[in-house]
Amino acid sequence: MASLTLEKINKRFGATRVIEEVSLDIKDGEFVVFVGPSGCGKSTLLRLIAGLESITHGDLMIDGQRVNDLTPPERGIGMVFQSYALYPHMSVYDNIAFGLKLAKSEKQTVDERVRRTAKILQLDGLLDRLPKALSGGQRQRVAIGRAMAREPKILLFDEPLSNLDAALRVQTRNEIAHLHERLGSTMIYVTHDQVEAMTLADRIVVLNDGYVEQTGSPRELYEQPASRFVAGFIGSPKMNFLDVDARAEGDAGCRIQVPGIGERVLPRRLAGDSDDAPLTLGVRPEHLTPTTAAGEAGFRIVNVEYLGSEAYLYLETSNSDTLVCRSEAPSPFARGERVTLDFAPQRAHLFDHDGRALPPADVEQMSTQATIS
Amino acid sequence: MASLTLEKINKRFGATRVIEEVSLDIKDGEFVVFVGPSGCGKSTLLRLIAGLESITHGDLMIDGQRVNDLTPPERGIGMVFQSYALYPHMSVYDNIAFGLKLAKSEKQTVDERVRRTAKILQLDGLLDRLPKALSGGQRQRVAIGRAMAREPKILLFDEPLSNLDAALRVQTRNEIAHLHERLGSTMIYVTHDQVEAMTLADRIVVLNDGYVEQTGSPRELYEQPASRFVAGFIGSPKMNFLDVDARAEGDAGCRIQVPGIGERVLPRRLAGDSDDAPLTLGVRPEHLTPTTAAGEAGFRIVNVEYLGSEAYLYLETSNSDTLVCRSEAPSPFARGERVTLDFAPQRAHLFDHDGRALPPADVEQMSTQATIS
Amino acid sequence: ADLTLSCGAVGAELQLCQAGVKRWEAQTGHSVEVVSTPNSATERLSLYQQILNARSSDIDVFQIDVVWPGMLAPHLIDLNEHLPDGATDDFFEAIVDNNTVDGRLVAMPWFTDAGVLYYRSDLLDKYDLEVPTTWEGLTEAAQTVQAGEREAGRSDFWGYVFQGRAYEGLTVNALEWIASYPDGGTIVDDDGDITVNNAQAVEALSLAAGWIDNISPRGVLNYTEEEARGVFQSGNALFMRNWPYAWDLVQSEQSGIRDRVEVAPLPAGGEDGQSAGVLGGWNLAVSRYSDHPDMAADLVAFLTSFDEQKRRAIEGSYNPTLPALYQDDEVLAAVPFFGTLYDTFTSAVPRPAAVTGDNYPRVSNAFFNTVHEVLSGNVSAEQGLEQLDRELSRLKRRRW
Amino acid sequence: MSLRTLKAVLLKIGFWLLVAVLMVYAIFPFYYAVVTSLKPSSELFEVSYWVDSVDLSNYAAVLSQPTFVAAIRNSVIVALSVVAIALLLGLTAAWALGRVRFRGRTTVMMLVLGVSMFPQVAVLSGLFEVIRTLDLYNSPGGLILSYTIFTLPFTVWILTTFMRQLPDELEEAAIVDGASPWVTLTKVFMPLLWPAMATTGLLAFIAAWNEFLFALTFTLTDSQRTVPVAIALISGGSQYELPWGPIMAASVIVTVPLVVLVVIFQRRIVSGLTAGAVKG
Amino acid sequence: MATDEQGIAQARHEASSDDTPPRGRGTRVRRQRVRAAWLFLAPMLIVLTAVAGWPLVRTFWFSLTDASLSSLDGAQFIGFDNYLVFDDGWYGILADPLWWQSVWNTLYFTLVSVSLEAVLGVIVALVLNAHFRGRTLVRAAMLIPWAIPTVVSAKIWAWMLNDQFGIINHLLLTIGLIDAPLSWTADASLSMWAVIMVDVWKATPFVALLVLAALQMLPNDCYEAAKVDGIHPAKVFFRVTLPLITPALLVAVIFRALDALRVFDVIYVLTSNAASTMTMSIYARQQLVEFQDVGYGSAASTLLFMIIALVTVIYLYLGRRQLGGEQ
Ligand SMILES: Nc1ncnc2c1ncn2[C@@H]1O[C@H](COP(=O)(O)OP(=O)(O)OP(=O)(O)O)[C@@H](O)[C@H]1O
Ligand SMILES: Nc1ncnc2c1ncn2[C@@H]1O[C@H](COP(=O)(O)OP(=O)(O)OP(=O)(O)O)[C@@H](O)[C@H]1O
Ligand SMILES: [Mg+2]
Ligand SMILES: [Mg+2]
């Protein structure tokens, strides 16, 4: 039940700038996910919000009130630490119960809540153990339990699921989603897991080197990345990038020449002066369709990666880059074979040499775009 | 350059049995991945192999020699710890160089190797930092670098990538694969990430509660899980399970009645006496094909999860279980619509009430199976 | 160094000693190392015993207390065998006797000591009082002056300070009270009989117990020589019982009561009593384990010689052990009361160390603890002495 | 806002008040010693809270004694050696007792503790014999050896306690890196134990610096004596006189090096040495 | 005590105390480690045996003889007569009321002063652990009481506590808390408290310093967690800090208690041999040094040792959890 506003927030450690001019509006009850490469400042940003780190410049507001100077509890925040931060001398039970600031008389309530939390996180049998007798995943669950049990109005999660196995991860993820629905609390979540980010987030914030690169719904980021960086960062395996030459083609967009694939007209508007500019084409692996090639045409398959539900083909380009494309599993293609590729122009992206995405060509194209998405 | 044999290895912590009768043959140069739910004993097994934990019963052999009594360095082992275990007072450089220096390598060699390792792991700029000034992912990379730099003959990784972002993860994963090729060292790798497990492993070992549930190539595990546990554990989102009644149908296999889908004949052999036994049908989300249903037939879509490259439909069954099925992204279906499902019988699995998979029906069916896989 | 000598722990005493040693060195050409030892007598004794028990030749010449000859005799040489005949002729006989154990002269008398009464002559004059000669008189005078001074606003002025801490000093003080009464006598007599429980002693102790909080501060129960001197020298007491050493200090240039102090013999117990100062003092002895016993004996002879003692008397007001020096003009000029108090020094009362031997410390301890209890008001003098009598009998059973 | 600031200010005032009270309690006696040492002996018996006039004669008296300077030198040698030995033996023992589980560990711990259960006077004469047998009488060696009797037990126990708290994973990482116990101890643990080592080192140093009874008994000549003995033997007029001024001056003089030492060592008592080592 | 075998990471598993696999199956790795452990212990054990072995044995032996300081060689074996003997009435230390009083005094002194020191020490450590300007100076200042030689500091206090020209009485009189000077060290009802006050003053820095070191080694992130959870600082202190520094505090208290049980110089300087503050050590010293009775004094020392050992064992037993499974 709290909205959060970050206004030009900066953080420096000594001379190192870690967070730069981050502005962000988080609505009451929103679920926001921070993603970004390792070391880009996600944890630091969370810690700034929590009040564990002082803000070098800028304002942080909760419900419209400036809270730069408030202590963490005054901000009404709960947090799951990336390093767990468990109390080493307390049992799992006490770790979870400790933060529950309930009146003494409500001992039973505490007990109930702890047990419920433990059940959700499958910690029932471990309540008497000390952290050092737990496995990595179990510790992580205790850390989550501790923050969850308190049900604060803003919950911060720093990679809470990174040590859990797939099944438990899905389950805990659903539990967090559920919690979010039930409590309606504002949640900020740092993760490296694409699936988590895509499924949990109302909005994803992509950080790069302390800057906000783009914010938007998962779908926006996936389908309309504002930059090459975001395009490459969201989606796994990541988008294929190819250097292409482009020519404006009137309102229809621009015509590009893709080596090994051929000419295509993309519904993207080229900046007026940049005719024939070197551009980068971006196509996601799942939007590339492979067909068995005749003779020496197309690309050679250098590796087939089997993932059970699908397979990825690794293709060698003429300038020995690698292209990745998805195929069903088991794949009908084998290593060493050659394939030709095709893609739907609407699904492709174009980036200028600064890495900025080219905008859609015109209204008509725009609506096409819209129907696709 | 070392083969590894585990013979009926047991480990107890006090009264708690953590590892039970684990036997395993790991060939020289093989890449083995351990997977299993949190707390099943993966880390413990790695620590037993490393020599950090004493084996309660059983023998561990390296290259045919019993090594139960050897120290970790004598076993020629390197290890990446799940909790990093960095030397907090040493810079990143020294952390990586420590083992090399102890091995009495020459100064220049040490320097070279450290720098090369740092480069691979993108730690170049951080060599002078102390661990406490690193982000979680950076710490993890240092931990990997420390183990890699020594190039030991057996390398153990305990969830080495869990704190890395997708891009770096893919890259480091490839680096590890590359390293494996280059060094030819035997590697044992614990992970929760399905993609890592599937792509890296020559062989996957599925642990459950200290037991080995199944070992096999990624494909074997995915397509011929020996038990319901393995079937559910490998693959994400996990396999759908439905209770069905089955009747033997001669050599062709058995006929089952799937509520909401209809009757199918599966090429699975029913144990002679278990006619009409309660069985469990398992079908993976990607093997379920949804079609828009007419009227009240089929299942109601309760949720559509958008993942960018694909979408998952969550369907409600009559007994309010949930079925998951894959669809393309953006999905042509929306929440609240109804769909009917179909699946190819060859892709489906049947498990008896002990959770064991039923074997293929006969030779003919077997070959069908083989061509699919 | 050829010889090692332990003398006095502390500065002035040590310096005097070192000066003497220098002269001997100049005279004989031998070299001597002077080591300093702990200030506290008991600590010094145990250190000596440590060294002597180890049969170590680390120290050749020891400075020993008058109560120690009995204890240390086995480790010391018979000086008679190393010194010319008649070497002890001119010394106080009592001390020589004290130092002779089983016919062996184990130590040469070096300097002596006895308790004396310091008083503020200016205040006695002011209140027109005589120097008291009895304890009762002292009590009265003290009360008068204390009352007067307090009225004058000096609320922390006291009549009498002495050494009341539970330690050897209290034995000395109390013995002086008891011995000053007629027939009050001794704790243990020369035959080893316990004599302390008698009416005179009760009287003496009762009187003393009455001083506390009356003319003496309660804190006196934890005073040693220095605390007493502190109070007295800061002008806050009329009378003080102390050793002659205090003379130099209260008469020093920085002293606030310089030239307003005089010394008298300790008062007597009642009209029939006699003044009694307890014998203190130090002797020089030579270790049996010394590598150069003759040389050491020569050093001892030199340090106890007439000239040397005279010098020490003049420069440090150390009481000589040669009667002749008490008539020496130069000495008297430096320390006037040597003349007037000659009797005090010659007739000083010994503690029962010789007769109780090894058990003396226990006897003394039992005694001063009893006195301390009586002074504190925890028991009456009668009860206390009765208990002491029993306690001493108990001790006596353990072979003295 | 104003309430918050008020609260903060009050907290701050409270804190500084606490600091002030503790400071007064801690250093008032020392301050009083300084005041006393700056007074001429005549004013000794008068109460005064301040130094009215500075009289350095006591200091001059103390420092002009060559034996006192020698005593300081001896004390430094003895105390430093004791610290070095105690830390060296203490660290190795602490590793064994804190990190290895073996039969007899508790027994050893108790034996070590048992050494400090006898009163000093009781061991004095026995130790005297030992030292004479080893021919260490009247030499710093004798003191250094005998001081281990009270510095080692607490060094061992304290370091053991701290050693136990270091994360196990660190040692395991070192083992996997091929480090011997000695290397682990010196290269990995020692840097992390600085707070504990600085503390025990400081405590051991002070204990050795201030020890009196052994120093008195096991040395004889002025050239071998240590500071406390030298102070105790500082000149007064006679057997009974306590030279307060010089004693206080000497105490002040010998306390100053310790204060300097504390200032130096306390830099080592810093937090967060193990930060970033492990998760959990 | 856990004599079971474990691999390298025993400490990690101390939680599982019932860890008792078959005995005598130590692996080589483990044996190597144990060997290294003994090797590491050896220097300390040798040194301690050298300095403490003989004196302790000797003390124990003498306690069974009638040795006196002036005739050590002629000591006769007299069994336990020094402790207790019936010879027309009970004799021996155990029959000496003064001994029992000194035992009581010692225990009382130890309990009161060590408790005060522990509490004060923790407070001081917390202050020293805070970040503020001038911390270095305050840290140094706080250590001064410990740094002054005991003999000297006891004398300073004796000086300050002097009834006539002591500054404490002066101060109390000035601010009107008392109307007549108190004789702190002479008055039996005050002297114990005077002694305790001085001992607390002197020894608090010892505890404080150790607790400070322990504070410095606490995991930082726990505090962040507690901070975020908004747990009251007092609760954090009692539930997180205190438990985590308990091992160090316990060790500090053990050594303080051992010192307090053997307390000698402070009391000796302040009140000498007065019965109201007579402690076991003073009693033993009096017998040994002043009464020259080596036999009796050694017996008193041995009894003192046994009482201390008893107290220590009880203490360790009570504190065994915090000391990491020591028992
Ligand atoms: N010292 C110990 N005492 C008792 N049980 C322990 C101890 N250490 C680990 N365990 C238990 O042993 C089991 C296996 O732990 P392990 O660390 O091997 O799990 P894991 O498979 O690595 O799990 P994760 O994936 O969560 O890291 C867990 O249930 C854990 O709680
Ligand atoms: N105390 C510090 N001093 C200097 N630099 C620091 C400090 N703490 C963090 N950094 C640096 O700040 C940057 C951001 O760190 P942060 O922990 O926020 O990264 P992150 O995005 O959470 O990364 P990860 O995903 O790996 O956890 C990193 O480059 C890190 O090295
Ligand atoms: Mg982070
Ligand atoms: Mg694990």
Side-chain angles (χ1 to χ4, degrees), chain E residues 40-41 50 67 102 117 153 170 176 198 200 218 238 262 299:
Chain E
F40 274 25
L41 277 176
S102 72
E117 283 155 20
S153 62
H170 193 269
V198 176
V200 168
L218 293 184
F238 284 109
R262 294 181 301 155

Side-chain angles (χ1 to χ4, degrees), chain C residues 40 42-43 45-46 49-50 53 55 71-72 74-75 156-158 165-167 217-223 226-232 234 236 358 361-363 365-366 368-369 372-373 376 378 394 397-399, chain E residues 58 66 68-73 82 87-88 90-92 95-98 158-159 162-165 181 183-188 264 268-275 278 285-293 296:
Chain C
S40 142
T42 43
E43 272 158 31
L45 175 61
S46 68
Q49 277 172 325
Q50 204 86 259
N53 274 325
R55 301 179 197 290
M71 272 178 268
L72 296 180
H75 298 293
D156 46 4
F157 189 88
W158 293 95
R165 175 186 284 210
Y167 81 125
R218 178 153 289 268
V220 82
L221 293 177
N222 203 24
Y223 280 7
E226 275 297 276
E227 282 89 1
R229 181 176 73 85
V231 177
F232 185 72
S234 51
N236 286 338
D358 271 2
R362 278 185 198 279
V363 171
N365 192 271
F368 67 63
N369 272 334
H372 197 262
E373 288 288 283
S376 310
N378 295 342
R394 233 170 90 110
R397 287 172 45 89
R398 301 187 70 207
R399 48 180 203 266
Chain E
R58 186 177 174 279
D66 64 355
S68 98
L69 206 48
S70 46
S71 64
L72 279 185
D73 299 338
N82 283 324
D87 180 9
D88 220 12
W90 289 102
Y91 290 88
D96 185 349
L98 188 61
W159 194 239
N162 187 295
D163 60 326
Q164 292 306 304
F165 31 80
S183 17
W184 292 98
T185 52
D187 192 330
F264 172 70
Y268 188 70
V269 172
L270 282 176
T271 62
S272 189
N273 292 325
M278 164 92 54
R285 188 204 108 100
Q286 195 177 30
Q287 303 295 336
L288 264 174
V289 175
E290 287 177 24
F291 300 165
Q292 315 259 312
D293 197 335
Y296 200 81

Side-chain angles (χ1 to χ4, degrees), chain A residues 31 33 120-121 141 144 148 157 160-161 164-181 187 189 191 193-201, chain B residues 236-238 303-307 312 314 324:
Chain A
F31 198 119
V33 173
I120 290 171
L121 296 166
R141 278 178 274 159
I144 298 173
M148 266 174 44
F157 296 89
L161 309 182
L164 305 189
D165 60 273
L168 194 57
R169 192 174 208 144
V170 170
Q171 190 183 333
T172 315
R173 191 179 87 205
N174 289 340
E175 209 46 65
I176 291 175
H178 196 76
L179 193 78
H180 179 230
E181 256 167 48
M187 293 194 177
Y189 193 102
T191 183
D193 189 291
Q194 300 276 337
V195 178
E196 271 168 42
M198 300 298 274
T199 55
L200 285 174
Chain B
S236 180
K238 74 177 199 185
N303 193 12
V304 180
E305 212 171 67
Y306 172 83
L307 292 183
Y312 287 97
Y314 288 80
V324 183

Side-chain angles (χ1 to χ4, degrees), chain D:
Chain D
M1 171 67 186
S2 63
L3 204 74
R4 288 179 45 80
T5 12
L6 189 72
K7 204 174 144 196
V9 166
L10 279 181
L11 260 174
K12 222 174 189 129
I13 291 176
F15 177 79
W16 282 106
L17 254 165
L18 182 64
V19 171
V21 168
L22 289 175
M23 285 283 279
V24 167
Y25 180 55
I27 60 175
F28 184 77
F30 182 68
Y31 165 79
Y32 194 61
V34 173
V35 170
T36 307
S37 71
L38 290 173
K39 283 201 281 192
S41 57
S42 57
E43 291 169 25
L44 217 54
F45 296 109
E46 286 154 31
V47 175
S48 67
Y49 297 91
W50 318 111
V51 205
D52 315 313
S53 62
V54 175
D55 176 56
L56 288 175
S57 60
N58 288 323
Y59 288 88
V62 169
L63 286 176
S64 65
Q65 293 187 6
T67 53
F68 190 75
V69 180
I72 289 186
R73 193 199 59 221
N74 288 332
S75 275
V76 170
I77 292 172
V78 169
L80 284 182
S81 316
V82 167
V83 170
I85 290 175
L87 284 184
L88 181 71
L89 300 191
L91 265 181
T92 51
W95 178 83
L97 294 170
R99 295 239 145 225
V100 186
R101 200 170 248 221
F102 58 91
R103 209 171 301 213
R105 188 177 59 153
T106 312
T107 317
V108 171
M109 293 289 281
M110 289 310 286
L111 280 180
V112 169
L113 203 57
V115 167
S116 18
M117 291 185 191
F118 266 90
Q120 250 194 342
V121 271
V123 291
L124 196 62
S125 54
L127 205 47
F128 186 82
E129 289 171 20
V130 170
I131 281 176
R132 288 204 65 94
T133 313
L134 296 177
D135 203 16
L136 291 172
Y137 183 66
N138 198 24
S139 80
L143 294 187
I144 293 168
L145 185 68
S146 60
Y147 286 2
T148 55
I149 206 174
F150 56 84
T151 51
L152 259 186
F154 81 78
T155 317
V156 169
W157 268 69
I158 292 169
L159 289 179
T160 301
T161 308
F162 282 95
M163 192 77 87
R164 283 214 179 110
Q165 291 175 0
L166 294 178
D168 301 309
E169 284 94 337
L170 278 185
E171 182 160 19
E172 295 178 346
I175 289 169
V176 171
D177 270 345
S180 64
W182 175 250
V183 172
T184 312
L185 181 64
T186 51
K187 292 264 170 58
V188 179
F189 286 158
M190 226 170 77
L192 300 180
L193 281 174
W194 265 117
M197 282 177 31
T199 304
T200 43
L202 210 54
L203 292 177
F205 188 95
I206 292 173
W209 181 267
N210 288 345
E211 204 286 332
F212 175 73
L213 193 54
F214 287 173
L216 175 68
T217 312
F218 303 147
T219 59
L220 187 62
T221 54
D222 285 338
S223 60
Q224 301 299 329
R225 287 208 156 127
T226 59
V227 164
V229 181
I231 292 179
L233 302 183
I234 273 177
S235 27
S238 73
Q239 197 207 333
Y240 304 107
E241 186 190 346
L242 274 180
W244 273 105
I247 285 184
M248 291 301 144
S251 307
V252 173
I253 292 173
V254 302
T255 307
V256 168
L258 294 183
V259 174
V260 172
L261 208 70
V262 173
V263 172
I264 294 171
F265 266 67
Q266 70 100 29
R267 279 173 217 278
R268 291 289 187 178
I269 310 179
V270 288
S271 59
L273 284 183
T274 52
V278 294
K279 295 206 289 184

